[in-house]
């Protein structure tokens, strides 16, 4: 079946690297996708039947598309159709196999696609004032389709959306202030009431300032921050480890800001601080993914679902130690996380969400299960032997 061919990429000997991607980023990204992407087997079959190289075929098609979108009839429809068909198929694959294809990339893609559509409401401006607009949009969408979510183009889009989100929060905050000034009483909605506080949020005083796209910062052993983590870790882990290799502070501002939003909502709704600092053991590979992609519930169930299908944390580091698998260097990884436990109730394996009125499930002792990706923030990553 064609779907099986498309959904089962392998790694042929003929491949390419990113060696000169800084010079020809689009060309090299295209080659990487053609030889390592979802349609690799289909392209291999095409080459056997026609004796034509896949990249040459695609470049010829792009050449024809370029001329047609620049001068052809109904170019807006053709552009939007191209930007719609394959992403729908890829998104369905990502929903069915999230651990293999991931969903974050396609969430960003569709947000971008819809945003461009909203801007194009004033279509005459684009059709007549900007030369070759539909050609440029089509090439841009194709670039998004074949790029990885960690690529520069996706990071740039996330940055733009973050700026736009802050602008919306600023506008909402201004509305809250005007309301309270005019009517001399607080606004009723908990989220709006906390918008102004969120805008004035401050990063933790321990965070280091940096201009690099860096999220992991190794703590110095002589600092109070380092020793406070080690003291609690030692209490629970006596006899289970020989040394702490390093402790890293996680500085993911986007994740932290969304976590703060939920923290404020929990405090407003429950009338108390429902946050706890808990442990989460993981493999090295999973730890790397968590730092970049948060505690993603798409991977829930890898280590069991006894108390619910969610992300598991424990107040007992010795328990989380059982899920911190050894890597090739004989090291283990464990997160110290800030978790919004909220109102919790005993869980069971059939629960995919907490019961109405509750925020998490528990074993009644030390295990807590969350069901929202930003209900927890990975504050530190302990690497130990």
């Amino acid at each position: 079946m064609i779907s099986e061919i498309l959904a089962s990429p392998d790694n042929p000997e003929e491949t390419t690297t990113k060696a000169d991607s800084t010079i020809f980023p689009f060309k090299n990204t295209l080659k990487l996708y053609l030889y390592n992407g979802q349609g690799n087997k289909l392209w291999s079959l095409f080459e056997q039947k026609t004796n034509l190289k896949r990249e040459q075929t695609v470049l010829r098609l792009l050449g024809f598309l370029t001329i047609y979108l620049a001068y052809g009839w109904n170019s807006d429809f053709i552009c939007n159709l191209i930007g719609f068909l394959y992403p729908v198929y890829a998104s369905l694959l990502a929903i069915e196999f999230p651990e293999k294809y991931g969903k974050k990339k396609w969430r960003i893609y569709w947000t971008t696609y819809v945003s461009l559509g909203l801007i194009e409401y004033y279509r005459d401006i684009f059709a007549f004032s900007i030369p070759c607009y539909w050609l440029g949009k089509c090439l841009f969408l194709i670039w998004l389709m074949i790029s990885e979510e960690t690529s520069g183009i996706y990071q740039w889009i996330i940055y733009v959306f973050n700026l736009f989100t802050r602008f919306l929060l600023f506008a909402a905050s201004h509305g809250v202030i005007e309301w309270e000034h005019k009517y001399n009483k607080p606004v009723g909605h908990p989220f709006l009431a906390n918008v102004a506080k969120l805008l004035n949020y401050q990063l933790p005083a321990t965070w280091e300032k940096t201009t690099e796209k860096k999220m992991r910062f190794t703590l110095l052993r002589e600092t109070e921050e380092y020793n406070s983590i080690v003291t609690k870790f030692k209490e629970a882990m006596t006899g289970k480890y020989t040394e702490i290799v390093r402790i890293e502070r996680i500085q993911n501002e986007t994740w932290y800001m969304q976590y703060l939003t939920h923290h404020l909502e929990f405090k407003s709704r429950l009338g108390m601080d429902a946050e706890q600092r808990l442990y989460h053991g993981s493999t090295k590979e999973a730890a790397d993914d968590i730092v970049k992609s948060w505690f993603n519930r798409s991977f829930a169930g890898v280590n069991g679902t006894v108390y619910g299908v969610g992300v598991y944390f424990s107040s007992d580091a010795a328990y989380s130690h059982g899920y911190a698998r050894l890597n090739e260097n004989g090291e283990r990884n464990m997160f110290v996380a800030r978790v919004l436990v909220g109102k919790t109730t005993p869980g069971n394996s059939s629960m995919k969400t907490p019961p109405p009125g509750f925020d998490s499930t528990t074993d009644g002792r030390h295990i807590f299960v969350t069901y929202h990706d930003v209900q927890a923030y990975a504050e530190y990553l302990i690497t130990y032997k």
Side-chain angles (χ1 to χ4, degrees), residues 36-321:
N36 299 303
Q38 295 169 0
N40 176 58
K41 285 192 173 182
L42 187 61
W43 278 114
S44 297
L45 183 62
F46 172 84
E47 289 179 333
Q48 292 174 9
K49 298 293 184 181
T50 63
N51 292 322
L52 294 174
K53 289 288 185 181
R54 63 190 75 179
E55 62 267 34
Q56 294 174 354
T57 303
V58 171
L59 289 174
R60 287 169 183 168
L61 289 173
L62 286 176
F64 171 78
L65 186 64
T66 298
I67 297 173
Y68 186 88
L69 288 175
Y71 304 105
W73 174 75
N74 218 11
S75 55
D76 55 343
F77 173 76
I78 299 299
C79 170
N80 289 325
L81 185 65
I82 292 171
F84 178 80
L85 290 178
Y86 173 73
V88 167
Y89 168 75
S91 298
L92 292 175
L93 274 183
I95 292 171
E96 188 172 359
F97 308 106
E99 69 285 352
K100 188 172 184 180
Y101 298 106
K103 293 191 290 187
K104 184 178 179 181
K105 168 184 172 177
W106 295 109
R107 289 200 298 264
I108 299 172
Y109 176 89
W110 287 116
T111 303
T112 306
Y113 185 87
V114 172
S115 298
L116 290 174
L118 289 174
I119 296 172
E120 289 156 10
Y121 178 78
Y122 301 99
R123 59 187 304 131
D124 289 346
I125 297 175
F126 296 95
F128 299 108
S129 302
I130 302 178
C132 302
Y133 170 77
W134 300 109
L135 170 61
K137 176 185 175 181
C138 186
L139 293 176
F140 175 69
L141 292 177
I142 292 174
W143 191 5
L144 290 182
M145 292 179 210
I146 65 178
S147 297
E148 298 294 331
E149 66 183 55
T150 55
S151 64
I153 184 64
Y154 274 98
Q155 297 305 311
W156 181 81
I157 290 172
I158 292 172
Y159 175 75
V160 171
F161 282 142
N162 282 341
L163 289 179
F164 183 66
T165 301
R166 292 190 183 190
F167 169 76
L168 291 180
L169 288 173
F170 175 78
S173 176
H174 183 71
V176 170
I177 294 171
E178 288 293 318
W179 169 280
E180 294 180 344
H181 177 73
K182 184 176 181 179
Y183 297 101
N184 195 29
K185 62 179 180 179
V187 69
H189 197 283
F191 172 74
L192 291 178
N194 286 318
V195 167
K197 296 179 183 178
L198 183 62
L199 277 174
N200 294 322
Y201 83 100
Q202 292 184 347
L203 296 175
T206 54
W207 279 28
E208 299 177 36
K209 294 181 179 180
T210 178
T211 56
E212 302 176 9
K213 293 180 180 179
K214 183 179 178 182
M215 296 183 184
R216 299 163 71 157
F217 295 80
T218 302
L219 302 185
L220 298 177
R221 293 178 180 268
E222 60 270 17
T223 61
E224 182 180 347
E225 183 182 13
Y226 178 94
N227 288 312
S228 65
I229 299 166
V230 170
T231 300
K232 295 180 180 179
F233 185 76
K234 282 182 176 179
E235 290 174 0
M237 292 287 289
T238 302
K240 295 185 179 295
Y241 77 103
T242 56
E243 69 169 304
I244 293 178
V245 179
R246 61 185 170 276
I247 299 178
E248 296 169 286
R249 184 195 312 111
I250 310 303
Q251 297 186 189
N252 185 327
E253 186 173 352
T254 302
W255 184 4
Y256 183 75
M257 187 174 179
Q258 293 201 37
Y259 175 79
L260 280 186
T261 304
H262 283 266
H263 195 184
L264 288 170
E265 189 275 328
F266 269 60
K267 289 178 70 174
S268 176
R269 174 166 53 86
L270 300 174
M272 63 177 185
D273 191 350
E275 180 185 73
Q276 292 191 34
R277 277 180 168 76
L278 305 174
Y279 296 98
H280 179 88
S282 72
T283 63
K284 180 182 181 300
E285 293 74 21
D288 293 338
D289 288 339
I290 288 170
V291 171
K292 294 183 292 185
S293 305
W294 316 353
F295 289 111
N296 193 330
R297 281 196 303 147
S298 299
F299 302 105
V302 174
N303 293 313
T305 58
V306 177
Y307 303 107
V309 185
V311 182
Y312 280 64
F313 300 90
S314 174
S315 58
D316 183 1
Y319 177 84
S320 296
H321 170 73

